[in-house]
């Protein structure tokens, strides 16, 4: 998938799924989903910083900046986030007044 700095996900709000716990590891973290029992390895500390930054940021773009990720690497991180979204490790944040 070819992503650019104008990828629509950058302007969306995402969060760690409430059913997911992160366990820090020397390589990054393990993410365990208690509902679907999936275990995912976040193999870089940078992706862990990004995922943890999502909750406090209005958009993925803002989280990328907060996580101190170089803009030329954003497409790779968008690809990683999309992969995490496919397994419900992260999910789109519900807008105020609307249910998820």
């Amino acid at each position: 998938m070819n992503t650019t700095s104008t990828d629509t996900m950058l302007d969306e709000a995402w969060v760690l799924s409430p059913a997911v716990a992160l366990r820090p590891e020397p390589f990054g973290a393990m993410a365990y989903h208690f509902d679907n029992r999936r275990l995912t390895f976040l193999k870089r500390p940078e992706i862990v910083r990004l995922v943890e930054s999502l909750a406090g940021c209005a958009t993925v773009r803002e989280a990328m900046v907060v996580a101190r990720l170089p803009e030329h690497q954003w497409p790779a991180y968008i690809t990683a986030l999309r992969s995490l979204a496919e397994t419900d490790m992260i999910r789109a944040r519900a807008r105020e007044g609307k249910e998820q």
Side-chain angles (χ1 to χ4, degrees), residues 45-93:
E46 296 86 357
I47 191 72
V48 177
R49 270 199 327 262
L50 175 57
V51 168
E52 291 175 336
S53 296
L54 292 173
C57 295
T59 64
V60 169
R61 182 184 314 273
E62 183 182 335
M64 295 272 197
V65 172
V66 167
R68 302 176 314 279
L69 302 175
E71 191 169 349
H72 71 276
Q73 293 179 357
W74 289 8
Y77 287 102
I78 289 292
T79 300
L81 290 177
R82 288 195 185 286
S83 178
L84 291 172
E86 287 174 6
T87 57
D88 192 40
M89 293 292 177
I90 63 169
R91 58 176 58 168
R93 184 181 306 145

Side-chain angles (χ1 to χ4, degrees), residues 5-19:
S5 62
T6 59
D7 189 295
T8 57
M9 188 179 210
L10 285 170
D11 297 315
E12 298 170 352
W14 287 75
V15 294
L16 189 66
S17 172

Side-chain angles (χ1 to χ4, degrees), residues 23-53:
R23 185 174 105 184
E25 294 290 341
F27 57 80
M30 289 192 311
Y32 182 75
H33 196 296
F34 288 95
D35 290 342
N36 64 27
R37 299 189 309 190
R38 286 186 181 257
L39 179 64
T40 300
F41 295 92
L42 304 180
K43 296 179 183 176
R44 298 182 55 98
E46 296 86 357
I47 191 72
V48 177
R49 270 199 327 262
L50 175 57
V51 168
E52 291 175 336
S53 296

